[in-house]
Amino acid sequence: MDTFALIVTIGVALGFTYTNGFHDSANAIATSVSTRALTPRAALAMAAVMNLAGAFLGSGVAKTVSEGLIQTPEGSKGMGILFAALVGAITWNLITWYFGLPSSSSHALFGGMVGAALAGGTTVYWSGVLDKVIIPMFLSPVVGLLVGYLVMTVIMWLFRRSNPHKTKRGFRIAQTVSAAGMALGHGLQDAQKTMGIVVMALVIAGEQGANDPIPVWVKIVCATMLSLGTYAGGWRIMRTLGRKIIELDPPQGFAAETTGASIMFATAYIFKAPISTTHVITSAIMGVGATKRVNAVRWGVAKNIVLGWFITMPAAALVAAAGFWVVNLAFL
């Protein structure tokens, strides 16, 4: 196996993690920045540290990505498939970042993997894609919307007689904890997705067996790149999440972040399903906002975001398939 191909593929995987970090940093901190619970730089620094910590909390999601979606391809063609999958995901991340759309880096990666695998003649485990990607893709926003609405309703009932000014100040402080939980969940989910890809590359190259544990250095470099990307910041997307869907106050921000973090931890530990942090926090914000009144949420922006969700996987798959054909013509 060509060592150079392995190094390039791992390098591109880390590049994807970096784009994932700046693309999805908004997920973790947009609500706490928009409510002025945290300054943007403080929020980004906190999110970067928590992303790093979250990456070491489990490996179930990484195992799903490396073994549950496509058959591990072999040889130089296998490395070409992984490379093309990552190029498809990175391309879509950059396009949606440019337009300020909070699409899912996770589904860009899964779409890239499926598109490159089909183009390269590798088996796609459609039952795995359905169980671990498609069903959670539709369920997690619905759960986020409902749980966000319920959490906010409970908060409003519990604090119905309290001083509004004191309540907001208290929740502004509480938001530093909920934002940290959100960033920890983001690290737990998203760093593991890249770990799964790097493990696949190492297995293809014969550097480790399919059942070996994830090497510590893989965890460290994936977590570090996600943190660096997070600290670089994703201001365009942050603007969409923090302001354009609904104007949030601190109690609402706390409710949305608590909802998002809870769902991410539950899916990572209980179902080992790689869900989209973007889907969860966006729908939680909508659910929380709907407690004010349904028309308080700017549903037009929400509609554009949902449209982005639906086209992410097919678009990334097409780019990845085209990428594999180019790699195949040029190198294989």
Side-chain angles (χ1 to χ4, degrees):
M1 166 56 63
D2 187 353
T3 307
F4 178 71
L6 174 64
I7 292 168
V8 168
T9 303
I10 291 175
V12 175
L14 295 178
F16 166 76
T17 309
Y18 184 84
T19 66
N20 187 340
F22 77 68
H23 195 279
D24 288 2
S25 58
N27 298 337
I29 60 174
T31 47
S32 46
V33 170
S34 72
T35 62
R36 295 181 176 81
L38 293 167
T39 64
R41 281 291 158 209
L44 283 167
M46 179 275 294
V49 171
M50 287 298 173
N51 275 180
L52 193 66
F56 291 90
L57 293 180
S59 59
V61 171
K63 199 170 179 64
T64 296
V65 172
S66 63
E67 296 174 16
L69 304 179
I70 66 172
Q71 183 181 15
T72 303
E74 296 178 355
S76 54
K77 186 174 95 165
M79 208 61 83
I81 286 170
L82 278 193
F83 177 82
L86 290 161
V87 167
I90 290 170
T91 303
W92 188 248
N93 266 0
L94 293 175
I95 290 168
T96 49
W97 166 79
Y98 181 80
F99 289 106
L101 265 183
S103 75
S104 166
S105 296
S106 309
H107 292 118
L109 177 63
F110 304 144
M113 287 173 73
V114 170
L118 290 173
T122 291
T123 304
V124 174
Y125 300 137
W126 290 110
S127 61
V129 173
L130 182 69
D131 292 348
K132 298 292 187 181
V133 179
I134 305 295
I135 291 173
M137 181 170 90
F138 285 101
L139 272 185
S140 59
V142 175
V143 173
L145 193 77
L146 293 174
V147 175
Y149 185 89
L150 289 172
V151 169
M152 191 62 217
T153 303
V154 169
I155 288 172
M156 285 161 69
W157 186 81
L158 289 174
F159 291 90
R160 66 194 184 281
R161 292 195 182 92
S162 57
N163 180 307
H165 181 68
K166 277 186 180 175
T167 303
K168 283 189 178 180
R169 197 169 63 220
F171 273 106
R172 200 166 272 136
I173 295 164
Q175 262 200 281
T176 57
V177 178
S178 60
M182 189 72 205
L184 198 67
H186 180 225
L188 172 66
Q189 277 279 349
D190 285 27
Q192 282 193 54
K193 288 158 193 167
T194 311
M195 287 179 209
I197 294 290
V198 174
V199 165
M200 277 183 94
L202 292 170
V203 171
I204 291 168
E207 296 294 325
Q208 75 168 61
N211 297 317
D212 292 351
I214 300 169
V216 174
W217 70 265
V218 172
K219 291 185 178 183
I220 291 170
V221 294
C222 289
T224 302
M225 289 304 286
L226 186 71
S227 289
L228 289 172
T230 296
Y231 192 69
W235 304 108
R236 289 169 186 265
I237 293 167
M238 206 180 297
R239 213 172 292 124
T240 303
L241 274 179
R243 292 273 184 227
K244 288 185 182 172
I245 298 174
I246 184 169
E247 296 282 342
L248 292 168
D249 61 22
Q252 290 172 325
F254 175 82
E257 288 166 347
T258 303
T259 299
S262 304
I263 292 169
M264 284 192 291
F265 278 101
T267 48
Y269 285 122
I270 299 168
F271 305 108
K272 297 179 173 52
I275 62 156
S276 165
T277 48
T278 312
H279 288 193
V280 169
I281 191 62
T282 309
S283 56
I285 290 171
M286 290 180 200
V288 165
T291 58
K292 265 187 181 176
R293 57 186 191 282
V294 173
N295 62 358
V297 178
R298 298 183 183 112
W299 295 106
V301 176
K303 186 186 73 179
N304 291 340
I305 293 167
V306 171
L307 190 65
W309 293 349
F310 278 101
I311 61 175
T312 290
M313 279 188 74
L318 286 171
V319 175
F324 177 77
W325 289 322
V326 172
V327 170
N328 197 30
L329 282 172
F331 302 107
L332 303 180

